[in-house]
Coordinates of all heavy atoms in Angstrom, one line a residue:
S1 N 0.8 -1.2 -0.1 CA 0.1 0.0 0.0 C 0.9 1.2 0.0 O 2.0 1.2 0.4 CB -1.0 0.0 1.2 OG -0.2 0.3 2.4
E2 N 0.4 2.4 -0.6 CA 1.3 3.5 -0.6 C 1.3 4.1 0.8 O 0.5 4.0 1.6 CB 0.6 4.5 -1.5 CG -0.7 5.2 -1.0 CD -1.3 6.1 -2.1 OE1 -0.6 7.2 -2.5 OE2 -2.3 5.8 -2.5
S3 N 2.6 4.7 1.0 CA 2.8 5.2 2.2 C 2.1 6.5 2.4 O 2.0 7.4 1.5 CB 4.3 5.5 2.3 OG 4.7 6.2 3.4
I4 N 1.6 6.7 3.7 CA 0.8 7.9 3.9 C 1.9 8.7 4.8 O 2.2 8.4 5.9 CB -0.5 7.7 4.7 CG1 -1.4 6.9 3.9 CG2 -1.2 9.0 5.2 CD1 -2.7 6.3 4.5
A5 N 2.0 10.1 4.4 CA 3.0 10.9 5.0 C 2.3 11.6 6.2 O 1.6 12.6 5.8 CB 3.7 11.8 4.1
L6 N 2.6 11.4 7.4 CA 2.1 12.1 8.6 C 3.0 13.1 8.9 O 4.3 12.9 9.0 CB 1.8 11.1 9.6 CG 0.6 10.0 9.5 CD1 0.8 9.2 10.6 CD2 -0.7 10.7 9.4
T7 N 2.6 14.2 9.4 CA 3.5 15.1 10.1 C 4.0 14.6 11.4 O 3.4 13.7 11.9 CB 2.8 16.5 10.4 OG1 1.9 16.4 11.4 CG2 2.2 17.2 9.2
P8 N 5.2 15.0 11.8 CA 5.6 14.7 13.2 C 4.6 14.8 14.2 O 4.5 14.0 15.1 CB 6.8 15.5 13.4 CG 7.4 15.9 12.1 CD 6.1 16.0 11.2
A9 N 3.8 16.0 14.3 CA 2.8 16.2 15.3 C 1.7 15.0 15.2 O 1.2 14.5 16.1 CB 2.2 17.5 15.1
Q10 N 1.3 14.8 14.0 CA 0.2 13.8 13.8 C 0.7 12.5 14.3 O -0.1 11.8 15.0 CB -0.2 13.7 12.3 CG -0.8 14.9 11.8 CD -1.1 15.0 10.3 OE1 -0.3 14.5 9.5 NE2 -2.2 15.6 9.8
H11 N 1.9 12.1 13.9 CA 2.4 10.7 14.4 C 2.6 10.8 15.8 O 2.1 9.7 16.5 CB 3.8 10.4 13.8 CG 4.4 9.2 14.1 ND1 5.3 8.9 14.9 CD2 3.9 7.8 13.7 CE1 5.5 7.5 15.1 NE2 4.7 6.9 14.4
T12 N 3.0 11.9 16.5 CA 3.2 11.9 18.0 C 1.9 11.6 18.7 O 1.7 10.9 19.7 CB 3.8 13.2 18.4 OG1 5.1 13.2 17.8 CG2 4.0 13.1 20.0
V13 N 0.8 12.4 18.2 CA -0.5 12.3 18.7 C -1.1 10.9 18.6 O -1.7 10.3 19.4 CB -1.4 13.4 18.1 CG1 -2.9 13.1 18.4 CG2 -1.0 14.8 18.6
L14 N -0.8 10.3 17.3 CA -1.4 9.0 17.2 C -0.6 8.0 18.1 O -1.3 7.1 18.5 CB -1.1 8.4 15.6 CG -2.1 8.9 14.7 CD1 -1.7 8.4 13.3 CD2 -3.5 8.4 14.9
V15 N 0.6 8.2 18.4 CA 1.3 7.2 19.3 C 0.7 7.4 20.7 O 0.4 6.3 21.3 CB 2.8 7.7 19.3 CG1 3.5 6.8 20.5 CG2 3.5 7.3 18.1
A16 N 0.4 8.6 21.0 CA -0.3 8.9 22.4 C -1.6 8.2 22.5 O -2.0 7.7 23.5 CB -0.1 10.4 22.6
L17 N -2.4 8.4 21.3 CA -3.6 7.8 21.2 C -3.7 6.3 21.4 O -4.5 5.7 22.1 CB -4.3 8.2 19.9 CG -5.6 7.5 19.5 CD1 -6.8 8.1 20.2 CD2 -5.9 7.4 18.0
C18 N -2.6 5.7 20.7 CA -2.6 4.2 20.8 C -1.9 3.7 22.0 O -1.9 2.4 22.3 CB -1.8 3.7 19.6 SG -2.6 4.1 18.0
A19 N -1.1 4.5 22.8 CA -0.4 4.0 23.9 C -1.1 3.1 24.8 O -0.5 2.0 25.1 CB 0.2 5.2 24.7
P20 N -2.3 3.4 25.2 CA -3.0 2.5 26.2 C -3.3 1.1 25.6 O -3.4 0.2 26.2 CB -4.3 3.2 26.7 CG -3.9 4.7 26.3 CD -3.0 4.7 25.1
L21 N -3.5 1.1 24.3 CA -3.9 0.0 23.6 C -2.6 -1.0 23.6 O -2.7 -2.3 23.6 CB -4.4 0.1 22.1 CG -5.6 0.8 22.0 CD1 -6.0 1.1 20.6 CD2 -6.8 -0.3 22.5
L22 N -1.5 -0.4 23.5 CA -0.2 -1.2 23.2 C 0.4 -1.5 24.5 O 1.2 -2.5 24.7 CB 0.9 -0.4 22.3 CG 0.4 -0.1 20.9 CD1 1.4 0.7 20.3 CD2 0.5 -1.5 20.2
T23 N 0.1 -0.8 25.6 CA 0.8 -1.1 26.9 C -0.3 -1.5 27.9 O 0.1 -2.1 28.9 CB 1.5 0.3 27.5 OG1 0.5 1.2 27.6 CG2 2.4 0.6 26.4
G24 N -1.5 -1.2 27.7 CA -2.5 -1.6 28.7 C -3.1 -3.1 28.5 O -2.7 -3.7 27.5
S25 N -3.9 -3.4 29.4 CA -4.6 -4.7 29.2 C -6.0 -4.7 29.8 O -6.3 -3.7 30.6 CB -3.8 -5.9 29.9 OG -3.7 -5.6 31.3
G26 N -6.9 -5.5 29.3 CA -8.3 -5.5 29.8 C -8.9 -4.2 29.6 O -8.8 -3.6 28.4
A27 N -9.6 -3.7 30.6 CA -10.4 -2.4 30.5 C -9.5 -1.3 30.2 O -10.0 -0.2 29.8 CB -11.0 -2.2 31.8
D28 N -8.1 -1.3 30.5 CA -7.2 -0.3 30.2 C -6.8 -0.1 28.7 O -6.2 0.9 28.2 CB -6.0 -0.3 31.0 CG -6.3 -0.1 32.5 OD1 -7.3 0.6 32.9 OD2 -5.6 -0.7 33.3
A29 N -7.1 -1.2 28.0 CA -6.6 -1.3 26.6 C -7.7 -0.6 25.7 O -8.5 -1.2 24.9 CB -6.4 -2.7 26.2
V30 N -7.7 0.7 25.8 CA -8.6 1.6 25.1 C -7.8 2.6 24.5 O -6.8 3.1 25.2 CB -9.9 2.0 25.9 CG1 -10.7 0.9 26.3 CG2 -9.4 2.9 27.0
P31 N -8.3 3.3 23.3 CA -7.6 4.6 22.9 C -7.6 5.7 23.9 O -8.7 5.7 24.7 CB -8.4 5.0 21.7 CG -9.1 3.8 21.2 CD -9.3 2.9 22.5
A32 N -6.5 6.4 24.0 CA -6.5 7.5 25.0 C -7.5 8.5 24.6 O -7.8 8.7 23.5 CB -5.1 8.1 25.1
T33 N -8.0 9.3 25.7 CA -9.0 10.4 25.4 C -8.1 11.6 25.1 O -6.8 11.7 25.2 CB -9.6 10.9 26.6 OG1 -8.8 11.2 27.7 CG2 -10.5 9.6 27.1
Y34 N -8.7 12.6 24.5 CA -8.0 13.8 24.1 C -7.3 14.5 25.3 O -6.2 15.0 25.2 CB -9.1 14.9 23.5 CG -9.5 14.5 22.2 CD1 -10.9 14.7 21.9 CD2 -8.8 14.0 21.1 CE1 -11.5 14.3 20.6 CE2 -9.3 13.6 19.9 CZ -10.6 13.7 19.7 OH -11.2 13.4 18.4
A35 N -8.1 14.4 26.5 CA -7.5 15.0 27.7 C -6.1 14.2 28.1 O -5.3 14.8 28.5 CB -8.5 14.9 28.8
Q36 N -6.2 12.9 28.0 CA -5.1 12.1 28.4 C -3.9 12.4 27.4 O -2.8 12.4 27.8 CB -5.4 10.6 28.3 CG -6.3 10.2 29.5 CD -6.9 8.8 29.2 OE1 -7.1 8.5 28.1 NE2 -7.3 8.0 30.3
I37 N -4.2 12.4 26.0 CA -3.1 12.8 25.1 C -2.5 14.1 25.5 O -1.3 14.2 25.4 CB -3.7 12.7 23.7 CG1 -4.3 11.3 23.3 CG2 -2.7 13.1 22.7 CD1 -5.1 11.2 22.1
G38 N -3.4 15.1 25.7 CA -2.9 16.4 26.0 C -2.1 16.4 27.2 O -0.9 17.0 27.2
R39 N -2.4 15.7 28.3 CA -1.6 15.7 29.5 C -0.2 15.1 29.1 O 0.8 15.5 29.6 CB -2.2 14.9 30.6 CG -3.2 15.7 31.3 CD -3.6 15.0 32.6 NE -4.2 13.9 32.5 CZ -5.6 13.5 32.2 NH1 -6.4 14.6 32.2 NH2 -6.0 12.4 32.1
R40 N -0.3 13.8 28.4 CA 0.9 13.1 28.1 C 1.9 14.0 27.3 O 3.1 13.9 27.4 CB 0.6 11.9 27.4 CG 1.7 10.9 27.2 CD 1.3 9.5 26.7 NE 2.3 8.6 27.1 CZ 2.1 7.3 27.1 NH1 0.9 6.9 27.1 NH2 3.1 6.5 27.4
L41 N 1.3 14.8 26.4 CA 2.2 15.6 25.5 C 2.3 17.0 25.9 O 3.1 17.9 25.2 CB 1.5 15.5 24.0 CG 1.5 14.2 23.3 CD1 0.9 14.3 22.0 CD2 2.7 13.5 23.3
D42 N 1.7 17.5 27.1 CA 1.7 18.7 27.5 C 1.2 19.7 26.6 O 1.8 20.8 26.3 CB 3.2 19.2 28.0 CG 3.2 20.3 28.9 OD1 2.2 20.6 29.7 OD2 4.2 21.0 28.9
R43 N 0.0 19.3 26.0 CA -0.7 20.2 25.0 C -2.1 20.4 25.5 O -2.6 19.6 26.2 CB -0.6 19.6 23.7 CG 0.7 19.4 23.0 CD 1.2 20.7 22.6 NE 2.4 20.6 21.6 CZ 2.7 21.6 20.9 NH1 2.1 22.8 20.9 NH2 3.8 21.5 20.1
Q44 N -2.7 21.6 25.1 CA -4.0 21.7 25.3 C -4.9 20.7 24.6 O -4.7 20.4 23.3 CB -4.5 23.1 24.8 CG -3.8 24.2 25.6 CD -4.2 24.2 27.1 OE1 -5.4 23.9 27.4 NE2 -3.2 24.4 28.0
P45 N -6.0 20.3 25.1 CA -7.0 19.2 24.4 C -7.4 19.8 23.1 O -7.6 19.0 22.2 CB -8.2 19.1 25.4 CG -7.6 19.4 26.6 CD -6.5 20.5 26.6
Q46 N -7.6 21.1 22.9 CA -8.1 21.7 21.7 C -7.1 21.5 20.5 O -7.3 21.1 19.4 CB -8.5 23.2 21.9 CG -9.2 23.7 20.5 CD -10.4 23.0 20.1 OE1 -11.3 22.6 21.0 NE2 -10.5 22.6 18.9
Y47 N -5.8 21.7 21.0 CA -4.6 21.3 20.0 C -4.7 19.9 19.6 O -4.6 19.6 18.3 CB -3.4 21.6 20.6 CG -2.1 21.1 19.9 CD1 -1.5 21.9 18.9 CD2 -1.6 19.9 20.1 CE1 -0.5 21.4 18.0 CE2 -0.5 19.4 19.4 CZ 0.0 20.2 18.3 OH 1.2 19.8 17.7
I48 N -4.9 19.0 20.6 CA -5.0 17.6 20.2 C -6.1 17.3 19.3 O -6.0 16.6 18.4 CB -5.1 16.7 21.5 CG1 -4.0 17.1 22.5 CG2 -5.3 15.2 21.3 CD1 -2.7 16.8 22.0
R49 N -7.3 17.8 19.6 CA -8.4 17.7 18.7 C -8.2 18.1 17.3 O -8.6 17.5 16.4 CB -9.6 18.5 19.4 CG -11.0 17.9 19.3 CD -12.0 18.9 19.9 NE -11.8 18.9 21.5 CZ -12.2 18.0 22.2 NH1 -13.0 17.0 21.8 NH2 -12.2 18.0 23.5
N50 N -7.5 19.3 17.1 CA -7.2 19.8 15.8 C -6.3 18.8 15.1 O -6.5 18.5 13.9 CB -6.5 21.2 15.8 CG -7.6 22.2 16.4 OD1 -8.8 22.0 16.3 ND2 -7.2 23.3 16.8
V51 N -5.2 18.2 15.7 CA -4.3 17.4 15.0 C -5.1 16.2 14.7 O -4.9 15.6 13.7 CB -3.2 17.0 16.1 CG1 -2.2 16.0 15.4 CG2 -2.3 18.3 16.3
V52 N -5.9 15.5 15.6 CA -6.6 14.4 15.3 C -7.5 14.6 14.1 O -7.6 13.8 13.2 CB -7.5 13.9 16.6 CG1 -8.5 12.8 16.2 CG2 -6.6 13.5 17.7
K53 N -8.1 15.8 14.0 CA -9.2 16.0 12.9 C -8.3 16.2 11.7 O -8.7 15.5 10.6 CB -9.8 17.4 13.2 CG -10.8 17.8 12.1 CD -11.6 19.1 12.6 CE -12.6 19.5 11.6 NZ -12.2 20.0 10.4
S54 N -7.2 16.7 11.6 CA -6.4 16.8 10.4 C -5.9 15.5 10.0 O -5.8 15.1 8.8 CB -5.2 17.8 10.4 OG -4.2 17.3 11.4
T55 N -5.5 14.6 11.0 CA -5.1 13.2 10.7 C -6.2 12.4 10.1 O -6.1 11.7 9.1 CB -4.5 12.7 12.0 OG1 -3.5 13.4 12.5 CG2 -4.0 11.2 11.6
R56 N -7.4 12.5 10.7 CA -8.5 11.9 10.2 C -9.0 12.2 8.8 O -9.2 11.3 8.0 CB -9.7 12.1 11.2 CG -10.9 11.3 10.9 CD -11.9 11.5 12.2 NE -12.4 13.0 12.2 CZ -13.3 13.5 11.4 NH1 -13.8 12.8 10.3 NH2 -13.7 14.7 11.5
E57 N -8.8 13.5 8.5 CA -9.2 14.0 7.2 C -8.2 13.5 6.1 O -8.5 13.1 5.0 CB -9.3 15.5 7.2 CG -10.5 15.9 7.9 CD -10.6 17.4 8.1 OE1 -9.6 18.2 7.9 OE2 -11.6 17.9 8.7
L58 N -6.9 13.4 6.5 CA -5.8 13.1 5.7 C -6.0 11.5 5.4 O -6.0 11.1 4.3 CB -4.4 13.2 6.4 CG -3.2 12.6 5.6 CD1 -2.9 13.5 4.3 CD2 -2.0 12.5 6.5
L59 N -6.2 10.7 6.4 CA -6.5 9.3 6.2 C -7.8 9.0 5.5 O -7.7 8.1 4.7 CB -6.3 8.6 7.4 CG -5.1 8.6 8.2 CD1 -5.2 8.1 9.6 CD2 -4.0 8.0 7.5
A60 N -8.8 9.6 5.8 CA -10.1 9.5 5.0 C -9.8 9.8 3.5 O -10.5 9.0 2.7 CB -11.1 10.4 5.7
G61 N -9.0 10.7 3.2 CA -8.6 11.0 1.8 C -7.9 9.8 1.1 O -8.0 9.7 -0.1
Y62 N -7.3 9.1 1.9 CA -6.6 7.8 1.4 C -7.5 6.7 1.4 O -7.1 5.6 1.0 CB -5.4 7.4 2.2 CG -4.2 8.4 1.8 CD1 -3.9 9.4 2.5 CD2 -3.3 8.1 0.8 CE1 -2.7 10.2 2.2 CE2 -2.2 8.7 0.5 CZ -1.9 9.9 1.1 OH -0.9 10.6 0.8
G63 N -8.9 6.8 1.9 CA -9.7 5.8 1.9 C -9.7 4.9 3.1 O -10.3 3.7 3.0
V64 N -9.1 5.2 4.2 CA -9.1 4.5 5.4 C -10.6 4.4 6.0 O -11.1 5.5 6.1 CB -8.1 5.1 6.4 CG1 -8.1 4.3 7.8 CG2 -6.7 5.0 5.9
D65 N -10.9 3.2 6.2 CA -12.3 3.0 6.7 C -12.6 3.6 8.0 O -11.6 3.7 8.9 CB -12.7 1.4 6.7 CG -12.9 0.9 5.4 OD1 -13.2 1.9 4.5 OD2 -12.8 -0.2 5.2
G66 N -13.8 4.0 8.3 CA -14.2 4.4 9.6 C -13.9 5.8 10.2 O -14.1 6.0 11.3
L67 N -13.5 6.6 9.1 CA -12.9 7.9 9.7 C -13.8 9.0 9.2 O -13.6 10.2 9.4 CB -11.5 8.1 9.1 CG -10.5 7.2 9.7 CD1 -9.1 7.4 9.2 CD2 -10.5 7.2 11.3
V68 N -14.9 8.6 8.5 CA -15.9 9.7 7.9 C -17.2 9.5 8.6 O -17.5 8.4 9.0 CB -16.2 9.5 6.4 CG1 -17.0 10.6 5.9 CG2 -14.7 9.6 5.7
R69 N -17.8 10.6 9.1 CA -18.9 10.6 9.8 C -20.0 9.7 9.0 O -20.4 10.2 7.9 CB -19.5 11.9 10.2 CG -20.7 11.9 11.2 CD -20.9 13.3 11.7 NE -19.9 13.8 12.6 CZ -19.0 14.6 12.3 NH1 -18.9 15.2 11.1 NH2 -18.2 15.0 13.2
G70 N -20.6 8.7 9.6 CA -21.6 7.9 8.8 C -22.8 8.5 8.8 O -23.2 9.3 9.7
T71 N -23.7 8.1 7.8 CA -25.0 8.7 7.7 C -25.9 8.0 8.6 O -26.9 8.4 9.0 CB -25.5 8.5 6.2 OG1 -25.4 7.1 5.9 CG2 -25.0 9.3 5.2
D72 N -25.4 6.7 9.1 CA -26.2 6.1 10.1 C -26.1 6.6 11.6 O -26.8 6.2 12.4 CB -25.9 4.6 10.0 CG -24.4 4.3 10.5 OD1 -23.6 5.3 10.7 OD2 -24.0 3.2 10.6
G73 N -25.1 7.6 11.6 CA -24.9 8.2 13.0 C -24.3 7.2 14.0 O -24.3 7.5 15.2
G74 N -23.7 6.3 13.4 CA -23.1 5.1 14.4 C -21.9 5.7 15.1 O -21.8 5.6 16.3
V75 N -20.9 6.2 14.6 CA -19.7 6.5 15.2 C -19.8 7.9 16.0 O -19.1 8.0 17.0 CB -18.5 6.7 14.1 CG1 -17.2 6.8 14.9 CG2 -18.4 5.3 13.3
G76 N -20.6 8.7 15.5 CA -20.6 10.1 16.2 C -19.3 10.8 15.9 O -18.7 10.8 14.8
D77 N -18.8 11.4 17.0 CA -17.6 12.2 16.7 C -16.4 11.5 17.3 O -15.3 12.0 17.3 CB -17.8 13.5 17.6 CG -18.4 14.6 16.7 OD1 -18.5 14.5 15.5 OD2 -19.2 15.5 17.4
D78 N -16.5 10.3 17.8 CA -15.4 9.5 18.4 C -14.8 8.6 17.3 O -15.3 7.5 17.1 CB -15.8 8.7 19.6 CG -14.6 8.3 20.4 OD1 -13.5 8.4 19.9 OD2 -14.9 7.7 21.5
F79 N -13.8 9.1 16.7 CA -13.0 8.4 15.7 C -11.7 7.7 16.3 O -11.0 7.2 15.5 CB -12.6 9.3 14.5 CG -13.8 9.8 13.8 CD1 -14.4 11.1 14.1 CD2 -14.6 9.1 12.9 CE1 -15.5 11.6 13.6 CE2 -15.7 9.6 12.2 CZ -16.2 10.9 12.6
R80 N -11.6 7.8 17.6 CA -10.4 7.3 18.2 C -10.1 5.7 18.0 O -9.0 5.5 17.7 CB -10.4 7.6 19.7 CG -10.3 9.1 20.0 CD -10.5 9.4 21.5 NE -11.6 8.7 22.1 CZ -11.6 8.0 23.2 NH1 -10.6 7.9 23.8 NH2 -12.8 7.4 23.6
W81 N -11.1 5.1 18.1 CA -11.0 3.5 17.8 C -10.6 3.2 16.3 O -9.6 2.5 16.1 CB -12.3 2.8 18.2 CG -12.4 2.4 19.5 CD1 -13.2 3.0 20.4 CD2 -11.7 1.4 20.2 NE1 -12.9 2.3 21.8 CE2 -12.1 1.3 21.5 CE3 -10.7 0.4 19.8 CZ2 -11.6 0.5 22.5 CZ3 -10.0 -0.5 20.7 CH2 -10.6 -0.3 22.1
A82 N -11.2 4.0 15.4 CA -10.8 3.6 14.0 C -9.4 4.2 13.7 O -8.7 3.5 13.1 CB -11.9 4.3 13.1
L83 N -9.1 5.4 14.3 CA -7.7 5.8 14.1 C -6.7 5.0 14.7 O -5.7 4.7 14.1 CB -7.6 7.2 14.7 CG -8.0 8.4 13.9 CD1 -8.0 9.7 14.7 CD2 -7.1 8.6 12.7
A84 N -6.9 4.5 15.9 CA -6.0 3.7 16.7 C -5.8 2.3 15.9 O -4.7 1.9 15.7 CB -6.4 3.5 18.1
R85 N -7.0 1.7 15.6 CA -6.9 0.4 14.8 C -6.1 0.5 13.6 O -5.3 -0.4 13.3 CB -8.4 0.0 14.5 CG -8.9 -0.9 15.5 CD -10.2 -1.7 15.0 NE -11.2 -0.8 14.6 CZ -12.2 -0.4 15.4 NH1 -12.3 -0.9 16.6 NH2 -13.2 0.3 15.0
W86 N -6.3 1.7 12.7 CA -5.4 1.8 11.6 C -4.1 2.0 11.9 O -3.2 1.4 11.3 CB -6.0 3.0 10.8 CG -5.1 3.3 9.6 CD1 -5.1 2.6 8.4 CD2 -4.0 4.2 9.7 NE1 -4.1 3.1 7.6 CE2 -3.3 4.0 8.4 CE3 -3.4 5.1 10.6 CZ2 -2.2 4.7 7.9 CZ3 -2.3 5.8 10.2 CH2 -1.8 5.6 9.0
A87 N -3.8 2.9 12.8 CA -2.4 3.1 13.2 C -1.6 1.9 13.7 O -0.5 1.8 13.1 CB -2.4 4.2 14.2
I88 N -2.3 1.1 14.3 CA -1.5 -0.2 14.9 C -1.5 -1.2 13.6 O -0.4 -1.7 13.6 CB -2.2 -0.7 16.1 CG1 -2.0 0.3 17.2 CG2 -1.8 -2.1 16.4 CD1 -2.9 0.0 18.5
R89 N -2.6 -1.4 13.0 CA -2.6 -2.5 11.9 C -1.6 -2.2 10.8 O -1.1 -3.0 10.3 CB -4.1 -2.6 11.3 CG -5.0 -3.4 12.2 CD -6.1 -3.8 11.3 NE -7.3 -4.4 12.1 CZ -8.4 -3.8 12.2 NH1 -8.7 -2.8 11.3 NH2 -9.3 -4.2 12.9
S90 N -1.5 -0.9 10.6 CA -0.7 -0.4 9.4 C 0.8 -0.4 9.7 O 1.6 -0.2 8.9 CB -1.1 0.9 9.0 OG -0.7 2.0 9.9
G91 N 1.0 -0.5 11.1 CA 2.3 -0.5 11.5 C 2.8 0.9 11.8 O 4.0 1.1 12.1
C92 N 2.0 1.9 11.6 CA 2.4 3.3 11.7 C 2.8 3.6 13.1 O 3.7 4.2 13.5 CB 1.1 4.2 11.3 SG 1.4 5.9 11.7
V93 N 2.1 2.9 14.1 CA 2.5 3.1 15.4 C 2.8 1.7 16.1 O 2.1 0.6 15.9 CB 1.2 3.7 16.3 CG1 1.5 3.6 17.8 CG2 1.0 5.0 15.8
Q94 N 3.9 1.6 16.8 CA 4.4 0.4 17.3 C 4.8 0.6 18.8 O 4.9 1.9 19.2 CB 5.5 -0.2 16.5 CG 5.1 -0.5 15.2 CD 6.4 -0.8 14.2 OE1 7.5 -0.4 14.5 NE2 6.0 -1.3 13.1
A95 N 5.0 -0.5 19.5 CA 5.4 -0.4 21.0 C 6.6 0.4 21.1 O 6.6 1.3 22.1 CB 5.5 -1.8 21.6
A96 N 7.6 0.4 20.2 CA 8.9 1.1 20.4 C 8.5 2.6 20.4 O 9.2 3.4 21.0 CB 9.8 0.7 19.4
D97 N 7.5 3.0 19.6 CA 7.1 4.4 19.4 C 6.6 5.0 20.8 O 6.9 6.1 21.1 CB 6.1 4.6 18.4 CG 6.5 4.3 17.0 OD1 7.7 4.8 16.6 OD2 5.7 3.7 16.2
V98 N 5.9 4.1 21.5 CA 5.4 4.5 22.9 C 6.5 4.7 23.8 O 6.6 5.7 24.6 CB 4.4 3.4 23.4 CG1 3.9 3.8 24.7 CG2 3.2 3.4 22.5
E99 N 7.5 3.8 23.8 CA 8.6 3.9 24.6 C 9.5 5.2 24.3 O 10.0 5.9 25.2 CB 9.6 2.8 24.4 CG 9.1 1.4 25.0 CD 9.8 0.3 24.5 OE1 11.0 0.4 24.0 OE2 9.2 -0.9 24.5
R100 N 9.7 5.7 23.0 CA 10.3 6.8 22.6 C 9.5 8.0 23.2 O 10.1 9.0 23.5 CB 10.5 6.9 21.1 CG 11.7 6.1 20.7 CD 12.0 6.4 19.3 NE 11.1 6.1 18.2 CZ 11.0 4.8 17.8 NH1 11.8 3.9 18.0 NH2 10.1 4.6 16.8
L101 N 8.1 8.0 23.1 CA 7.3 9.0 23.6 C 7.6 9.3 25.0 O 7.7 10.4 25.4 CB 5.8 8.6 23.4 CG 4.7 9.7 23.6 CD1 4.9 10.7 22.4 CD2 3.4 9.0 23.6
D102 N 7.8 8.3 25.8 CA 8.0 8.4 27.3 C 9.3 8.8 27.5 O 9.6 9.5 28.5 CB 7.8 7.1 28.0 CG 6.2 6.7 28.0 OD1 5.4 7.7 27.8 OD2 5.9 5.6 28.0
D103 N 10.3 8.7 26.5 CA 11.8 9.1 26.6 C 11.9 10.7 26.5 O 12.7 11.2 26.9 CB 12.6 8.5 25.7 CG 12.8 7.0 26.0 OD1 12.5 6.5 27.2 OD2 13.2 6.1 25.2
R104 N 10.7 11.2 25.9 CA 10.8 12.7 25.6 C 10.7 13.5 26.7 O 11.2 14.6 26.8 CB 9.6 13.0 24.7 CG 9.7 12.4 23.3 CD 8.4 12.7 22.5 NE 7.3 13.5 23.4 CZ 6.7 14.6 22.9 NH1 6.9 15.0 21.6 NH2 5.8 15.3 23.6
T105 N 10.0 12.9 27.8 CA 9.8 13.8 29.0 C 11.0 13.8 30.0 O 11.7 12.9 30.1 CB 8.5 13.4 29.8 OG1 8.7 11.9 30.0 CG2 7.3 13.6 29.0

């Protein structure tokens, strides 16, 4: 598949989004919330929301499933699961990325 070029900010936010899925287990293995990502990256939740939105729009343009608001109203505004699933399945985000994220602080 063709490579999708994410900005460093988009990749970092995706890593933080996926971190609980890659390091947690059971009920903790869910995508991080905007607030959790913001705390981890020391950014405002609105900044995180904007980066997630731009990432989602970029990926939707490449035809990644589940990132466009459905007419059935199923997903609502929470695209975190679809983004996280894509990021992990595509290999865009890996456990080593999470370790590097924690090394930044």
Side-chain angles (χ1 to χ4, degrees):
S1 70
E2 71 184 297
S3 171
I4 298 174
L6 297 172
T7 67
Q10 288 171 330
H11 185 255
T12 301
V13 168
L14 276 180
V15 172
L17 171 76
C18 296
L21 288 167
L22 293 169
T23 60
S25 59
D28 293 329
V30 295
T33 64
Y34 293 134
Q36 289 167 332
I37 296 168
R39 280 196 300 274
R40 188 167 200 161
L41 301 181
D42 197 25
R43 295 288 197 160
Q44 293 299 318
Q46 190 55 49
Y47 169 84
I48 302 302
R49 216 176 290 276
N50 291 341
V51 174
V52 168
K53 183 175 188 287
S54 70
T55 306
R56 186 170 64 75
E57 289 167 351
L58 175 75
L59 296 175
Y62 279 95
V64 175
D65 282 342
L67 298 179
V68 180
R69 188 170 287 105
T71 49
D72 62 356
V75 185
D77 277 330
D78 192 354
F79 297 95
R80 293 175 307 131
W81 273 105
L83 273 173
R85 270 196 296 265
W86 172 83
I88 292 169
R89 275 198 202 122
S90 69
C92 175
V93 172
Q94 298 168 345
D97 295 318
V98 177
E99 290 165 24
R100 279 194 294 275
L101 190 67
D102 292 335
D103 290 344
R104 291 171 3 133
T105 50

